[in-house]
């Protein structure tokens, strides 16, 4: 968590005597997790959380909230401890199926101010900035062989300013719980400039193989009564050059205020279908489209002096706090997006017993009747083989972890659980510094900013024709064309392989300066000679990185701020490996525009010798610990966002194909992105690249 001034967007509770400065406020803050899909009758799911601290999957805190009813202007009081989970039915995002509109279609999506958004029947309606009047926006479905032209039309008037307050809190006292755990603005400083923010928007199709002029460049915003015109997909391309079937999402990407605009409600889901996915459905490997759910999730933006990120206590799923989903006792496909500003989800499914007073008791699922869960896809589409995430999980078993902007394609087999009450909950990693007993799945962990574990309840009904999922068969292949990227032949661990052709290696270091700013440092080789390194003036700070063979290379920084000159020039059609070294204490989800990459490996490092700022003595090398580990089995597919863990080098590989132009990569913790943790890169025509000066790209071959 970063120590610089942050801005929180959310509805806030007001204590008695606190002036209400905004006529449409709740006393809540939260995070969001989105689940997209539908079952018969069709139901699409999106998970979001609201709280007084930030966006993401949130749970409510037990404190008093005074709410303003926007539509009537009357005030009502509610104790968030009395908010009962699982009282709402999981809603379905409005569907726009464009597949029936031909190879080339034109759509208009209006960006609107809405005043009738209701995140819970237990709370009054509130305002939001939206796509087409809903949070989340419409679920847009396209075919891989379509050209889709979209006009994103901004109709939010200047008087319809940011629909929540932005509040900054001091650090909590020693031993006190974080302010983010509870709703309300009392005790915080309201940012008046944010209260007058008008909606200037630019939409990015996250994960899309998109031309640069349609990618949603962060500075190309459209103010009121203006439009952004984009084109997605290209009809009549060869099959192997189309984007694979997957679930993407679209969201606002405006420079400096992405965290606020997205938190205000500007996000939605985009699904691509193709023949490979259709074959898996026809062959009975995947549930059909009527047994598919889409989950996504979004509200007072609230931070603390030493916590830049927004972690809200309430979880929204498809725009509802802690909803219930009625599912039949058969395999159901779930498409899940972590749409939170900052929160990482570690999701589990448990038995959930609900008492008459609304309290919930969570217990592990009986091992004698396990719940089969299979991950069949990642950000960029289907895996080659399903990966089991069955509950109850073994103590060291694989479970689902999603950092902000990551997606998962799941099949949950309810066929043996007719009549069961189950729930998806959020969990935390045990705190190694705590003397408390380690929390169990389903426990609230307020000290670690998880005051409520609730996410989504499943009420399993009967199904007279239930059949178990065939995904338990170890020989199942979902995508016969899938290839696992490897450096060396024979290291694909049972996958069909693609050995990386000639490629460029780049090094990027994630660092934090003394003021708390988080930066991407793009590195180039300075020297491998320790004497040259020692003689280098302190005005050129170096980062020494040791290889596994002990050889130390000293790197210097050539760019670190968003508006520093472009250093990554990449020939179109070329391959690259990026080595991302995290020298901070927190994980960061790194999103690369344009491409779908694969994670090659994670290498732990001893970073104790790294100094920020550089000290008087030369820094000690950053050295590898043990051998690099491959990504988890459910991370070995195509990705556009990768969790870069602390004290680790995460290596990714991608082919930069399709389009030329200026793109970017950035941290997808939105508070970090808005504070300059992003950098541009340019994809250029290969023949033009051959004529460019050799030092423009800052690369090593």
């Amino acid at each position: 968590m970063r120590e610089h001034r942050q801005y929180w967007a959310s509805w806030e509770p007001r204590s008695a005597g606190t002036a209400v400065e905004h006529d449409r406020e709740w006393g809540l803050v939260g995070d969001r997790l989105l689940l997209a899909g539908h079952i018969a009758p069709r139901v699409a799911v999106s998970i979001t959380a609201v709280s007084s601290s930030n966006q993401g999957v949130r749970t409510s805190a037990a404190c008093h909230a005074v709410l303003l009813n926007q539509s009537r202007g009357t005030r009502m009081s509610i104790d968030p401890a009395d908010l009962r989970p699982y009282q709402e039915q999981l809603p379905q995002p409005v569907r726009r199926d464009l597949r029936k509109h031909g190879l080339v279609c034109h759509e208009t999506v209006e960006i609107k101010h809405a005043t009738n958004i209701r995140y819970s029947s237990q709370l009054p309606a509130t305002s939001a900035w939206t796509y087409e009047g809903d949070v989340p926006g419409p679920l847009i479905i396209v075919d891989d062989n379509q050209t889709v032209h979209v006009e994103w039309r901004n109709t939010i008037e200047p008087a319809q300013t940011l629909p929540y307050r932005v509040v900054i809190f001091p650090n909590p006292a020693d031993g006190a719980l974080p302010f983010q755990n509870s709703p309300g603005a009392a005790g915080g400083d309201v940012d008046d400039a944010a209260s007058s923010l008008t909606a200037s928007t630019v939409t990015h199709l996250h994960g899309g193989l998109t031309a640069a002029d349609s990618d949603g460049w962060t500075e190309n915003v459209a103010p009121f009564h203006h439009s952004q015109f984009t084109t997605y997909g290209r009809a009549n391309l060869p099959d192997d050059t189309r984007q694979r079937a997957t679930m993407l999402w679209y969201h606002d990407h405006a420079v400096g205020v992405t965290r606020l605009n997205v938190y205000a409600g500007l996000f939605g889901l985009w699904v691509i279908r193709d023949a490979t996915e259709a074959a898996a459905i026809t062959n009975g490997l995947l549930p059909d489209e009527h047994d598919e759910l889409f989950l996504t999730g979004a509200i007072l933006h609230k931070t603390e002096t030493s916590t830049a990120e927004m972690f809200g206590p309430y979880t929204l799923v498809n725009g509802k706090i802690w909803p219930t989903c009625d599912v039949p006792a058969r395999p159901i496909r779930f498409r899940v997006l972590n749409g939170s500003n900052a929160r990482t989800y570690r999701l589990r499914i448990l038995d959930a017993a609900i008492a008459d007073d609304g309290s919930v008791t969570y217990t592990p699922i009986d091992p004698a009747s396990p719940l089969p869960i299979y991950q069949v896809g990642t950000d960029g589409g289907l895996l080659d083989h399903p990966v089991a995430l069955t509950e109850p999980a073994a103590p060291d078993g694989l479970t689902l972890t999603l950092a902000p902007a990551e997606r998962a394609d799941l099949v949950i087999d309810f066929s043996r659980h007719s009549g069961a009450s189950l729930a998806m909950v959020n969990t935390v990693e045990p705190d190694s510094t705590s003397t408390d007993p380690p929390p169990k799945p389903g426990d609230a962990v307020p000290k670690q900013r998880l005051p409520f574990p609730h996410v989504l309840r499943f009420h399993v009904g009967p199904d007279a024709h239930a059949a178990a999922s065939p995904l338990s068969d170890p020989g199942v292949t979902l995508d016969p064309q899938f290839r696992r990227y490897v450096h060396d032949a024979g290291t694909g661990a049972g996958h069909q392989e693609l050995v990386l052709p000639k490629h460029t290696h780049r090094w990027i270091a994630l660092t934090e300066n003394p003021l708390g700013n988080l930066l991407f440092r793009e590195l180039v080789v300075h020297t491998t000679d320790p004497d040259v390194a020692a003689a280098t003036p302190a005005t050129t700070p170096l980062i020494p990185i040791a290889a596994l063979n002990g050889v130390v290379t000293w790197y210097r920084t050539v760019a670190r701020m968003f508006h520093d000159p472009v250093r990554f020039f990449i020939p179109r059609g070329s391959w690259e490996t990026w080595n991302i070294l995290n020298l901070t204490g927190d994980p960061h989800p790194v999103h690369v525009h344009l491409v779908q990459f694969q994670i090659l490996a994670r290498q732990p490092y001893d970073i104790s010798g790294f100094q920020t700022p550089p000290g008087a003595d030369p820094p000690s090398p950053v050295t590898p610990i043990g051998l690099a580990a491959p990504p988890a089995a459910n991370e070995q597919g195509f990705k556009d966002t990768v969790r870069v863990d602390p004290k680790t080098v995460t290596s990714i590989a991608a082919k930069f194909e399709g389009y030329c132009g200026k793109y970017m990569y950035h941290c997808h913790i939105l508070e970090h992105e808005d504070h300059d943790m992003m950098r541009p890169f340019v994809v250029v025509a290969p023949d033009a690249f051959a004529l460019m000066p050799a030092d423009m790209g800052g690369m090593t071959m």
Side-chain angles (χ1 to χ4, degrees), residues 11-13 24-28 67-68 117 119 123-126:
W11 300 291
E12 311 179 63
R24 50 183 181 276
E25 289 204 11
W26 288 7
L28 303 178
L67 307 181
L68 183 71
I117 302 301
Y119 293 98
L123 299 171
T126 191

Side-chain angles (χ1 to χ4, degrees), residues 417-433:
H417 290 268
S418 179
S421 174
L422 307 173
M424 180 182 288
V425 300
N426 195 19
T427 66
V428 298
E429 290 185 345
D431 182 358
S432 60
T433 65

Side-chain angles (χ1 to χ4, degrees), residues 51-317:
S51 78
S52 54
S53 70
N54 64 7
Q55 207 171 10
V57 175
R58 309 284 192 249
T59 53
S60 64
C63 78
H64 185 265
V66 178
L67 307 181
L68 183 71
N69 185 312
Q70 297 179 26
S71 59
R72 298 184 181 179
T74 58
R75 301 180 76 194
M76 61 175 291
S77 296
I78 185 170
D79 185 340
D82 292 335
L83 268 181
R84 293 190 174 191
Y86 311 136
Q87 302 301 302
E88 321 293 324
Q89 283 297 310
L90 181 69
Q92 164 87 27
V94 175
R95 297 166 63 86
R96 282 196 181 183
D97 193 338
L98 306 185
R99 292 173 291 178
K100 58 188 177 184
H101 292 182
L103 290 179
V104 179
C105 66
H106 296 78
E107 288 291 313
T108 298
V109 177
E110 288 197 354
I111 299 171
K112 299 179 177 182
H113 179 267
T115 60
N116 60 344
I117 302 301
R118 205 174 190 94
Y119 293 98
S120 170
S121 61
Q122 303 169 75
L123 299 171
T126 191
S127 296
W129 289 350
T130 74
Y131 292 105
E132 292 291 352
D134 292 307
V135 179
L139 168 63
I140 298 174
I141 304 173
V142 304
D143 187 77
D144 69 325
N145 188 33
Q146 275 186 294
T147 300
V148 179
H149 302 284
V150 181
E151 176 189 356
W152 306 93
R153 183 183 297 166
N154 186 352
T155 69
I156 302 178
E157 298 179 6
Q160 296 168 329
T161 54
L162 191 70
Y164 56 80
R165 289 195 301 172
V166 173
V167 185
I168 307 166
F169 280 74
N171 292 334
D174 289 346
L177 294 176
F179 287 102
Q180 292 181 351
N181 280 7
S182 58
D189 294 328
V190 175
D191 188 315
D192 293 330
S195 298
S196 61
L197 178 69
T198 59
S200 293
T201 67
V202 57
T203 299
H204 168 56
L205 180 58
H206 181 115
L209 176 59
T210 306
D213 60 1
S214 294
D215 191 51
W217 183 260
T218 185
E219 294 162 321
N220 294 346
V221 298
F224 169 63
H225 211 55
H226 289 68
S227 292
Q228 171 194 1
F229 295 90
T230 58
T231 300
Y232 306 111
R234 294 168 63 192
N236 296 320
L237 287 176
D239 288 354
D240 61 353
T241 60
R242 302 175 190 171
Q243 183 151 14
R244 305 167 76 240
T246 191
M247 185 181 78
L248 310 177
W249 65 307
Y250 56 92
H251 61 79
D252 186 77
H253 209 265
V255 63
V257 293
T258 297
R259 70 196 185 282
L260 303 180
N261 288 3
V262 175
Y263 198 69
L266 292 176
F267 59 94
L269 297 173
W270 182 289
V271 172
I272 302 173
R273 306 289 192 187
D274 70 5
T276 299
E277 180 191 47
I281 293 172
T282 299
N283 294 332
L285 299 179
L286 296 178
D288 67 22
E289 292 187 32
H290 294 282
D291 282 339
E292 183 177 19
L293 291 170
F294 296 86
L295 296 179
T296 181
I299 295 267
L300 174 53
H301 194 277
K302 178 176 178 179
T303 57
E304 298 156 9
T305 304
S306 63
T307 303
E309 306 84 1
M310 154 96 169
F311 301 105
Y314 301 89
T315 300
L316 296 179
V317 183

Side-chain angles (χ1 to χ4, degrees), residues 351-489:
D351 278 320
I354 303 177
D356 291 342
D357 63 359
S359 61
V360 184
T361 300
Y362 295 114
T363 55
I365 290 173
D366 185 352
S369 184
L371 178 69
I373 304 171
Y374 306 96
Q375 185 164 344
V376 298
T378 51
D379 303 346
L382 292 175
L383 295 162
D384 52 351
H385 307 294
V387 176
L389 305 175
T390 296
E391 291 283 6
D396 57 350
L398 189 61
T399 57
L400 181 61
T401 297
L402 292 176
E406 288 190 298
R407 282 96 68 207
D409 192 347
L410 306 176
V411 173
I412 304 178
D413 187 353
F414 296 103
S415 60
R416 292 195 292 173
H417 290 268
S418 179
S421 174
L422 307 173
M424 180 182 288
V425 300
N426 195 19
T427 66
V428 298
E429 290 185 345
D431 182 358
S432 60
T433 65
S434 174
T435 58
D436 297 332
K440 302 183 300 297
D443 285 350
V445 192
K447 292 181 180 179
Q448 293 181 249
R449 301 179 190 270
L450 185 67
F452 301 92
H454 324 301
V455 176
L456 172 66
R457 176 177 176 253
F458 303 108
H459 177 258
V460 186
D463 194 312
H465 306 287
S469 171
L471 296 176
S472 59
D473 185 338
V476 165
T477 297
L478 297 165
D479 183 355
Q481 285 77 45
F482 181 91
R483 299 293 183 273
R484 174 78 183 135
Y485 296 171
V486 296
H487 263 126
D488 303 305

